[in-house]
Amino acid sequence: QSIVAQGAGSYTGTITNQDYFATVQLPGVAAGQTITIDAQATSGNLDTLVILLTAEGEWVGENDDREQGNFNS
């Protein structure tokens, strides 16, 4: 699943056993800007992982678990 974010707002995607990741493109975000990404499991035992990459695919940062015992990112 691929989502193209158009400005500030909330974007929702679905992850399943067959479609186990989603990409969200942020075309309006510039280097140095602050953004908030919140990934939450709404059912099952999904352990979310958020990875932030540049448009060129270079790693910027990641978050696996918010805190011990909380598997959302």
Side-chain angles (χ1 to χ4, degrees):
Q1 177 179 27
S2 183
I3 301 165
V4 179
Q6 300 295 326
S10 295
Y11 299 91
T12 302
T14 301
I15 296 175
T16 67
N17 288 337
Q18 292 76 31
D19 297 310
Y20 53 89
F21 71 93
T23 60
V24 180
Q25 299 175 35
L26 306 170
V29 176
Q33 248 183 310
T34 300
I35 62 171
T36 300
I37 301 172
D38 180 32
Q40 296 185 32
T42 57
S43 65
N45 60 353
L46 181 68
D47 182 2
T48 63
L49 170 65
V50 171
I51 301 173
L52 184 61
L53 305 172
T54 66
E56 292 77 30
E58 297 173 11
W59 182 90
V60 175
E62 67 182 59
N63 181 274
D64 185 13
D65 299 329
R66 288 186 190 166
E67 57 195 26
Q68 188 172 3
N70 183 341
F71 299 117
N72 292 314
S73 300

